[in-house]
Amino acid sequence: MPGALGLLGGGGDGGSSVVSTNDSTDSKVEVLDPAGTEIELELGLSLGGGGGQGKTKASGAWGEYGRILTAKDFPSMVSQSHRTNKTSCSSSVSGTKRAADSEGGSPTGVSQVVGWPPIGVHRMNSLVNQAKSPRAEEEKTVGEKENSKDALKKKVCNGNKANASVNEKGHFALVKVKTDGNPIGRKVDLNAHACYETLAQALEDMFFKQATNGIAENQAMKLSKLLDGSSEFVLTYEDKEGDWMLVGDVPWGMFVNSVRRLRIMRTSEANGLGMLISKIQREK
Amino acid sequence: MDSDSRRTKGTVVHSAESTRSSPFPDEVLERVLSILESRKDRSSVSLVCRDWYNAERWSRTHVFIGNCYAVSPGMVARRFPRIRSVTLKGKPRFSDFSLVPDDWGADIHCWLVVFALKYPFLEELRLKRMSVSDESLEFLSLNFLNFKALSLVSCDGFSTNGLAAIATHCKNLTELDIHENDVDDKSGSWLSCFPENFTTLEVLNFANLSNDVNFDALQRLVSRCKSLKVLKINKGISLEQLLELLVCAPQLMELGTGSFSQELMAGQNGELGSAFNNCKSLHTLSGLWDATAAYLPALFPACANLTFLNLSYATLQSGEFSKLLAHCPLLRRLWVMDTVEDKGLESIGANCPLLEELRVFPADPFDEDIHGVTEAGFVAVSYGCRRLHYVLFFCRQMTNAAVATIVQNCPDFTHFRLCIMNPGQPDYLTNEPMDEAFGSVVKTCTKLQRLSVSGLLSDLTFEYIGKYAKNLETLSVAFAGSSDWGMQCVLGGCPKLRKLEIRDCPFGNAALLSGLEKYESMRSLWMSSCKVTMNGCRHLARKMPRLNVEVMKDDLRDDSHAYKVYVYRSLAGPRTDAPPSVLTL
């Protein structure tokens, strides 16, 4: 079974563009972006940054993302598929038992130890099996005193009702989000949103706002900055085929069904998507 | 009458009433003692003298057996002739984390056979970590005519067929509580087995089961059981259906919802809110799978009186969580997922001054990138919730200073379970071990009964625990300690220690054997992936014949290593039902 192939643009140099991926590991692909400059991209087996002794961080071009580890790095490693495969529990890890005579000094990765963290099997199964139920259309909420943000959410999403559709059962609702320049990842529940605007707003709140004061002032019908290209960041996602796409082009339902993870990318690096960004700016 | 036959068949020495020293007739003493409910009080009473021992045993109606192998069913029946309610616990707690083989034991059936003979009027059975087969459930349903309450927690070995037998035959059932078991869920038809004239149900919890039950049957059941106080439904039941149930049962005190996100017809959202508004007695709320921000406001009317809110299956973010909490000022117990992050924890501190218990579970235990909650959030809670005494907290980073602040704010902790998820992780700011954190816990929290430690810990932690934790009864240790000395400190101190469970620590035979006398005053000891050898275990078994020493072998390692060791006191001697993988020494 081929591992999950991830495409990461180089940290400091070059940009990224939509590239069709192969199943080969550890191959270099040369791609021409619309501007005509050659970008060298490295494809490798993504092992979630895991491996034997916890997360390894390399310096240099990969910097803050950590390095994509290839099969060459683990010549003797038993298949780490359990790390990327969300549906396995710790109890399915076999063979890699922690030696009893290690002194507990160096921390080992969480994933390779049976029965750790100490979460009951029942709860573990429940987390793993959290399937998306058909998403609700946003309706008027109960209670007269709605937070203006909620009211805005309803208004905004109702305008996009045509786009909202039911998700397939069995698809995960939680997707990982990472922002360039911030090593800490978050997860967002797509089930909690019915349109791009509220999602982008939530992500902005998550990554860019530090204030704990939750009640926002009336923001009218302003679109989130992430979507309209005016921010220094742009919201992108990796789809089922491994391509990195600009968020907002396809109908919401189609997006939710195909998104694997999100990345808030610096606009300066989204060169390959430049055509799409300028298209949006023209439409503003 | 009864008292005469008792005097002759019992072990009482006195044969004539004039030689009795007790000023009270037995009947009076029994009547007085029957008011006693606390196990500890009853135990004390039974030690006073022979008469009191007998009066106590005749007046006892509920027996609690914390380790099903500590005593045999026959022994229990001989001592306590009038039992109506039994609580039994079986497997070691680490079976919850897949560390115990499936065929380990703790089968309920031999108990039921004795009970059918000796306690035909048995009314309640509460089991935890026992193996229960469908045959046993059917046996139960047919042999105890007055059976009322069945509670199965973390059990395994049965299917929904067994539940069908209970529903079919137990005419006086008041409680059916199926909680976090490994059930073979064949179909939801078991619920339809309750007869149409059956009305006595007060507690129904089937949140554990995934197959859909017949909703009409459920709705009729709920409607006709006017005394229903606790209803916890499963995920398959929609919001719309929940609405129908709430309308039938406004008297509910505890509710576990099904899936809390669904397309509702126009107007139903308002109906849901007013249905919740009508549940004036509701104090506990759980379930809430897939809860989305859109529907949480329907709960607001019910929140005013809530004392226990279980959001541990709802992946809420801090925004909607804070809004919900603003409506729950009376909360005493709160379970959440770490998706609410530190902002969410801050709002707990801000909104719930009466909070006594907090549990924070990780939404994604294996992804180290995920932020979750940190020490900052925990500290924020401690400033706002001074009455906090029970905490279970999963996190990825912690500092000694933060824990010191937390226990300074909340010195009344009785249960402190901190899980820093990366094994052996130090204080992330100072890079020091977390010894001082747990030192401050045991020094400050004098009422501490239960402690789970984690992070990088040296023997110093255990020195502190042994010296200061005078009321500690349960200690859980993983990936900690430097040498035998650590475990020796605990066994040498902690006068009230009852359960000690250890995994992946460098404790060996010297540590194991330093607790020889101690183990007889404890319920059990678990040690896995430590440095104990078979010889050490054999030595222990030889020295302490009243302890059962069981070793689970690991095929991959050499024969001298004792992979998993379980030691417990027992009046019943070595057990006879151990599977081949468990050696009794």
Side-chain angles (χ1 to χ4, degrees):
Chain A
M1 176 190 99
L5 289 176
L7 172 65
L8 277 195
D13 53 354
S16 62
S17 72
V18 177
V19 173
S20 59
T21 59
N22 303 319
D23 277 345
S24 59
T25 60
D26 199 28
S27 60
K28 285 195 196 281
V29 178
E30 285 177 357
V31 175
L32 293 173
D33 78 346
T37 53
E38 229 173 85
I39 303 165
E40 202 173 77
L41 301 158
E42 203 163 57
L43 299 177
L45 195 65
S46 166
L47 295 173
Q53 297 304 317
K55 221 167 149 56
T56 57
K57 276 199 163 144
S59 56
W62 297 99
E64 63 228 2
Y65 309 126
R67 198 166 76 84
I68 294 257
L69 301 164
T70 68
K72 275 201 300 198
D73 294 300
F74 306 98
S76 60
M77 187 57 70
V78 171
S79 162
Q80 289 279 297
S81 59
H82 70 270
R83 195 69 169 94
T84 52
N85 179 2
K86 284 177 186 172
T87 60
S88 64
C89 309
S90 65
S91 52
S92 68
V93 175
S94 60
T96 44
K97 294 187 183 102
R98 201 170 168 283
D101 50 12
S102 69
E103 292 297 310
S106 63
T108 56
V110 168
S111 61
Q112 67 181 72
V113 181
V114 177
W116 187 266
I119 296 162
V121 165
H122 188 266
R123 176 170 292 276
M124 202 77 88
N125 290 338
S126 192
L127 290 179
V128 149
N129 290 330
Q130 243 178 10
K132 265 186 191 170
S133 44
R135 239 178 353 88
E137 302 280 336
E138 301 281 355
E139 290 265 1
K140 227 165 57 123
T141 54
V142 170
E144 321 74 53
K145 277 191 51 198
E146 290 173 358
N147 181 293
S148 62
K149 224 168 167 181
D150 261 357
L152 172 65
K153 201 176 186 176
K154 306 300 157 290
K155 280 195 213 133
V156 165
C157 289
N158 282 342
N160 290 327
K161 229 181 203 168
N163 292 333
S165 64
V166 170
N167 295 318
E168 300 153 1
K169 261 203 164 98
H171 194 96
F172 284 113
L174 288 172
V175 291
K176 205 161 165 172
V177 193
K178 264 204 157 174
T179 300
D180 288 1
N182 188 340
I184 294 170
R186 295 283 209 283
K187 272 202 169 168
V188 66
D189 183 2
L190 293 180
N191 258 349
H193 301 277
C195 61
Y196 291 114
E197 284 73 17
T198 61
L199 172 64
Q201 191 62 58
L203 292 176
E204 276 191 23
D205 285 347
M206 223 183 258
F207 285 99
F208 299 116
K209 293 205 170 105
Q210 299 304 315
T212 55
N213 180 4
I215 310 298
E217 63 286 2
N218 193 348
Q219 295 178 341
M221 295 289 283
K222 190 175 89 147
L223 281 178
S224 159
K225 293 205 290 277
L226 275 177
L227 288 183
D228 67 4
S230 66
S231 150
E232 79 174 83
F233 287 91
V234 71
L235 184 57
T236 65
Y237 72 101
E238 183 189 22
D239 70 3
K240 272 185 197 161
E241 280 102 48
D243 302 329
W244 284 88
M245 315 288 282
L246 189 66
V247 167
D249 287 339
V250 301
W252 172 258
M254 198 185 297
F255 162 71
V256 175
N257 282 333
S258 61
V259 62
R260 265 204 278 173
R261 53 184 165 142
L262 295 165
R263 177 179 161 198
I264 300 174
M265 195 185 292
R266 289 212 173 87
T267 316
S268 52
E269 284 168 21
N271 287 340
L273 307 165
M275 268 173 55
L276 298 165
I277 289 177
S278 54
K279 172 182 168 216
I280 289 173
Q281 279 173 333
R282 265 181 266 124
E283 283 175 1
K284 245 177 41 170
Chain B
M1 231 204 68
D2 218 20
S3 46
D4 285 342
S5 62
R6 194 177 355 119
R7 234 169 269 147
T8 49
K9 84 174 179 188
T11 50
V12 179
V13 173
H14 307 114
S15 53
E17 202 164 327
S18 54
T19 61
R20 276 178 65 238
S21 49
S22 168
F24 296 113
D26 291 328
E27 295 84 355
V28 173
L29 189 57
E30 254 179 69
R31 184 61 75 86
V32 168
L33 293 182
S34 65
I35 300 169
L36 280 180
E37 286 179 5
S38 147
R39 300 200 301 265
K40 286 187 179 150
D41 287 346
R42 283 191 162 271
S43 194
S44 308
V45 157
S46 68
L47 295 172
V48 170
C49 66
R50 215 28 173 261
D51 281 345
W52 282 49
Y53 175 89
N54 277 322
E56 191 281 313
R57 74 187 189 95
W58 277 91
S59 65
R60 196 187 287 216
T61 55
H62 170 242
V63 68
F64 170 88
I65 299 156
N67 175 4
C68 64
Y69 287 119
V71 73
S72 74
M75 283 174 179
V76 175
R78 271 194 296 281
R79 178 170 172 189
F80 300 114
R82 286 199 189 148
I83 295 298
R84 300 272 163 144
S85 165
V86 176
T87 302
L88 263 170
K89 293 188 179 180
K91 300 182 190 179
R93 192 177 77 95
F94 278 3
S95 72
D96 287 353
F97 316 128
S98 311
L99 290 179
V100 173
D102 283 341
D103 59 351
W104 185 84
D107 195 316
I108 188 61
H109 203 79
C110 55
W111 291 86
L112 291 179
V113 167
V114 172
F115 291 163
L117 207 54
K118 302 288 186 184
Y119 305 142
F121 298 113
L122 187 70
E123 293 175 4
E124 297 181 3
L125 190 63
R126 299 177 194 286
L127 306 180
K128 188 166 187 181
R129 295 192 196 100
M130 299 286 295
S131 273
V132 183
S133 67
D134 284 345
E135 289 70 35
S136 294
L137 288 176
E138 192 176 0
F139 183 88
L140 174 66
S141 69
L142 294 172
N143 285 280
F144 301 89
L145 299 178
N146 205 28
F147 192 73
K148 292 194 173 136
L150 178 64
S151 169
L152 300 174
V153 177
S154 301
C155 298
D156 65 288
F158 64 101
S159 79
T160 41
N161 291 346
L163 299 180
I166 298 288
T168 306
H169 300 296
C170 297
K171 307 272 180 256
N172 296 307
L173 199 69
T174 58
E175 176 176 341
L176 183 60
D177 179 17
I178 309 300
H179 183 74
E180 294 193 354
N181 300 288
D182 185 8
V183 192
D184 181 9
D185 195 341
K186 295 188 165 157
S187 97
S189 58
W190 61 273
L191 187 110
S192 308
C193 293
F194 285 109
E196 287 298 322
N197 62 353
F198 168 75
T199 59
T200 49
L201 206 59
E202 295 171 22
V203 174
L204 178 62
N205 174 8
F206 63 97
N208 195 174
L209 303 172
S210 42
N211 278 326
D212 289 345
V213 299
N214 180 315
F215 182 72
D216 282 337
L218 174 63
Q219 207 249 358
R220 286 197 306 276
L221 180 67
V222 168
S223 298
R224 64 180 184 268
C225 293
K226 300 293 180 198
S227 305
L228 193 68
K229 296 282 181 303
V230 175
L231 178 64
K232 295 182 184 175
I233 58 185
N234 67 5
K235 214 169 164 181
I237 294 184
S238 68
L239 265 189
E240 197 174 344
Q241 291 171 325
L242 174 66
L243 175 55
E244 282 185 62
L245 293 175
L246 285 180
V247 167
C248 299
Q251 78 283 3
L252 283 180
M253 295 169 71
E254 295 183 26
L255 173 69
T257 72
S259 176
F260 214 73
S261 86
Q262 175 215 333
E263 183 175 335
L264 282 186
M265 314 273 270
Q268 274 185 326
N269 219 335
E271 286 176 22
L272 189 61
S274 77
F276 271 111
N277 196 30
N278 279 337
C279 295
K280 305 285 185 202
S281 310
L282 204 60
H283 59 67
T284 293
L285 194 56
S286 61
L288 299 166
W289 285 286
D290 306 326
T292 60
Y295 296 101
L296 289 180
L299 296 176
F300 292 170
C303 289
N305 295 320
L306 276 190
T307 55
F308 179 19
L309 180 56
N310 181 352
L311 295 169
S312 62
Y313 290 101
T315 51
L316 298 185
Q317 310 284 333
S318 59
E320 58 245 22
F321 176 63
S322 303
K323 279 183 216 129
L324 177 60
L325 274 195
H327 292 83
C328 310
L330 299 184
L331 272 189
R332 305 245 184 87
R333 301 173 66 195
L334 177 60
W335 297 16
V336 293
M337 282 242 221
D338 66 356
T339 48
V340 303
E341 297 190 350
D342 285 341
K343 269 195 215 168
L345 296 186
E346 281 166 28
S347 58
I348 297 176
N351 286 293
C352 306
L354 301 181
L355 198 70
E356 297 172 14
E357 174 180 329
L358 175 66
R359 302 194 194 198
V360 183
F361 296 94
D364 215 325
F366 299 111
D367 194 336
E368 290 167 33
D369 284 342
I370 295 309
H371 195 69
V373 292
T374 73
E375 80 282 2
F378 197 170
V379 169
V381 173
S382 74
Y383 274 112
C385 308
R386 301 293 176 129
R387 298 189 196 189
L388 202 60
H389 69 80
Y390 190 121
V391 74
L392 169 62
F393 197 83
F394 285 86
C395 58
R396 293 200 159 81
Q397 64 186 51
M398 189 52 60
T399 66
N400 289 308
V403 177
T405 305
I406 289 161
V407 294
Q408 202 172 14
N409 291 337
C410 306
D412 296 329
F413 272 114
T414 54
H415 297 69
F416 193 90
R417 303 165 64 188
L418 175 61
C419 180
I420 303 165
M421 286 191 272
N422 206 15
Q425 182 171 299
D427 177 320
Y428 82 99
L429 286 182
T430 65
N431 235 12
E432 284 168 7
M434 296 297 297
D435 295 333
E436 293 309 318
F438 293 104
S440 60
V441 172
V442 292
K443 285 176 199 166
T444 314
C445 305
T446 53
K447 301 181 206 165
L448 196 70
Q449 293 168 25
R450 182 171 179 183
L451 180 65
S452 299
V453 299
S454 59
L456 179 65
L457 300 176
S458 73
D459 286 342
L460 183 57
T461 297
F462 302 102
E463 281 183 34
Y464 286 143
I465 292 174
K467 185 172 174 194
Y468 292 103
K470 299 293 180 206
N471 287 309
L472 192 66
E473 297 179 16
T474 304
L475 179 63
S476 307
V477 186
F479 305 102
S482 323
S483 72
D484 286 332
W485 174 240
M487 186 170 164
Q488 285 169 333
C489 286
V490 171
L491 292 173
C494 299
K496 295 200 184 168
L497 194 66
R498 291 190 302 116
K499 285 177 281 185
L500 181 56
E501 40 186 37
I502 300 172
R503 62 166 293 177
D504 292 274
C505 296
F507 303 139
N509 292 337
L512 175 71
L513 296 173
S514 68
L516 285 187
E517 291 79 31
K518 186 108 178 167
Y519 300 137
E520 278 193 354
S521 67
M522 288 168 55
R523 184 186 296 174
S524 64
L525 165 74
W526 169 281
M527 284 179 82
S528 62
S529 301
C530 296
K531 285 174 146 181
V532 176
T533 70
M534 291 298 290
N535 279 338
C537 296
R538 283 193 198 102
H539 190 85
L540 175 63
R542 259 199 315 273
K543 286 273 179 173
M544 306 296 297
R546 285 187 300 204
L547 296 179
N548 281 357
V549 180
E550 297 180 8
V551 178
M552 280 157 264
K553 301 269 290 124
D554 170 18
D555 296 325
L556 297 182
R557 300 211 34 147
D558 67 83
D559 281 335
S560 64
H561 180 245
Y563 178 40
K564 293 174 185 167
V565 181
Y566 186 50
V567 179
Y568 57 93
R569 65 181 177 190
S570 177
L571 297 172
R575 59 184 176 116
T576 50
D577 62 351
S581 57
V582 177
L583 300 175
T584 307
L585 301 179

